[in-house]
Amino acid sequence: MALPAHIAPTAAAPVHRQPVYALVGNPNCGKSTLFNALTGLKQKIGNYPGVTVEKKVGTTYSQHGQPMTIIDLPGAYSLAARSPDEAVTRDVLLGRRSDTPQPDRILCIVDATNLERNLYLVHQILDLGRPVILVLNMMDVARNSGLRIRTARLERELGIPVIPCEAVNGKGLVELRLAMSRTDLPLSRHAWDVPAAIAPAVSELQASLTEHSGKSPLVARAEALLLLTDQNTVRVAGSTPLHARTAEILAQWQKRWSATGTDWAGTLVTSRYDAIARLCGETIEHKPVESGPSGSDRIDAVVTHPDSGAGWCWAVS
Ligand SMILES: Nc1nc2c(ncn2[C@@H]2O[C@H](COP(=O)(O)OP(=O)(O)OP(=O)(O)O)[C@@H](O)[C@H]2O)c(=O)[nH]1
Ligand SMILES: [Mg+2]
């Protein structure tokens, strides 16, 4: 079957060795449930060296039986880390930890009932320039609360595969495995213009990170954006420190902006939220739920009823 043009292969380099997927999302959105469903007993659980943060790595198989590694990362609301858990997630994704391979691809899982908040992290991750698959989890709860998500529109806007899922009962897993098996996953085309007042600083930091820390241009850009919003940077054991020249450039810009009263971090965060709000406005629809049993009764019924797959049609586009 021909792929829709908006998620057809682009310039993303195919991965020839065993691909490493990171599973990442907000706390409590179903990461571990999905990780367990994909990996079964093929899991190794330990700690990241030097921090009391759990490290979970597992193996799953492509549709052709090829092994794929999955790392279940700690829950995070943002890559601008505020806790050791978030710092580990940020550092693994940015390739800052020598004890963990930088993931080739990223499975972003979101709670579909709270898409706008969950998309903040996804938006930051799309900046990393890695192939991303977006998993809309908790679709049972979303459907029962009257939410309709225009999945095809979301795919088109972001330019990546979007897979509706119910990790708790395995729905959507076949489609997810098919997407994960693709050797030619596309890179997102998500367009997010950095506000003009901040753009020169991002370029300068990006150049320094590329030159002094050997980062690829896209990872360096994502990292530059983070340096500007990560006001109280949480550093954990195992994380590579910032190069002195990059730290100097950052301090110079911050001094300049402080003198002119420019709220650089606020400007960046607001601009990202504006882009997400626009996206959600185009893709989420609230329909009043018809009267009947209470919301939680209906959710229980869907989760526990063996035939809950009937009428499995939540992707309105
Ligand atoms: N109704 C419903 N519940 C789900 C679904 N997926 C996961 N859950 C439930 O959501 C709760 C949280 O799931 P977890 O897999 O522990 O979430 P997590 O993201 O790993 O949480 P943290 O590791 O604490 O950040 C559990 O009670 C799951 O059973 C789903 O698709 N539908
Ligand atoms: Mg978990």
Side-chain angles (χ1 to χ4, degrees), residues 270-286:
T270 306
S271 136
R272 220 187 258 286
Y273 271 121
D274 287 348
I276 293 167
R278 270 197 303 278
L279 185 63
C280 288
E282 289 162 7
T283 51
I284 304 177
E285 218 179 293
H286 293 261

Side-chain angles (χ1 to χ4, degrees), residues 163-175:
I163 314 284
C165 181
E166 293 179 19
V168 80
N169 57 26
K171 282 185 183 157
L173 248 67
V174 170
E175 293 79 358

Side-chain angles (χ1 to χ4, degrees), residues 26-33 75 137-138 140-141 165-168 303:
N26 285 189
N28 224 26
C29 67
K31 293 177 298 300
S32 298
T33 309
N137 194 35
M138 311 259 184
D140 51 333
V141 189
C165 181
E166 293 179 19
V168 80
V303 171

Side-chain angles (χ1 to χ4, degrees), residues 80-313:
R82 294 194 176 183
S83 67
D85 278 34
E86 289 188 330
V88 165
T89 293
R90 173 199 65 200
D91 291 344
V92 170
L93 290 173
L94 290 172
R96 285 183 184 168
R97 292 196 68 93
S98 53
D99 52 56
T100 310
Q102 185 173 13
D104 306 299
R105 297 150 169 221
I106 303 169
L107 278 187
C108 272
I109 172 165
V110 293
D111 173 352
T113 66
N114 216 335
L115 198 54
E116 190 152 352
R117 190 179 73 183
N118 281 235
L119 279 177
Y120 189 82
L121 177 70
V122 177
H123 208 261
Q124 289 178 316
I125 286 173
L126 292 177
D127 283 343
L128 292 171
R130 301 258 155 183
V132 173
I133 298 172
L134 181 60
V135 179
L136 301 181
N137 194 35
M138 311 259 184
M139 287 304 290
D140 51 333
V141 189
R143 184 175 56 248
N144 284 288
S145 58
L147 273 178
R148 292 290 175 270
I149 299 172
R150 304 174 75 190
T151 313
R153 180 75 184 263
L154 204 50
E155 279 195 335
R156 206 160 49 235
E157 293 295 326
L158 296 175
I160 57 172
V162 176
I163 314 284
C165 181
E166 293 179 19
V168 80
N169 57 26
K171 282 185 183 157
L173 248 67
V174 170
E175 293 79 358
L176 176 58
R177 198 178 296 280
L178 275 177
M180 290 175 71
S181 305
R182 286 179 60 180
T183 53
D184 59 353
L185 275 177
L187 290 178
S188 167
R189 317 175 261 90
H190 95 126
W192 177 59
D193 292 329
V194 174
I198 318 290
V202 174
S203 302
E204 210 179 318
L205 287 166
Q206 181 185 10
S208 178
L209 284 160
T210 310
E211 183 183 343
H212 300 295
S213 309
K215 305 276 177 179
S216 72
L218 277 171
V219 170
R221 180 174 175 275
E223 190 145 2
L225 288 164
L226 274 182
L227 288 172
L228 294 169
T229 44
D230 209 350
Q231 299 284 318
N232 303 303
T233 304
V234 179
R235 295 220 171 268
V236 291
S239 161
T240 321
L242 197 59
H243 188 274
R245 178 64 193 132
T246 311
E248 195 183 329
I249 295 170
L250 179 63
Q252 281 166 357
W253 275 103
Q254 290 177 333
K255 198 168 157 200
R256 211 175 302 172
W257 285 325
S258 296
T260 56
T262 305
D263 175 10
W264 66 90
T267 305
L268 276 177
V269 171
T270 306
S271 136
R272 220 187 258 286
Y273 271 121
D274 287 348
I276 293 167
R278 270 197 303 278
L279 185 63
C280 288
E282 289 162 7
T283 51
I284 304 177
E285 218 179 293
H286 293 261
K287 288 223 171 100
V289 183
E290 70 286 359
S291 58
S294 74
S296 60
D297 290 346
R298 270 195 304 275
I299 290 161
D300 287 348
V302 169
V303 171
T304 55
H305 194 280
D307 295 328
S308 57
W312 180 239
C313 174

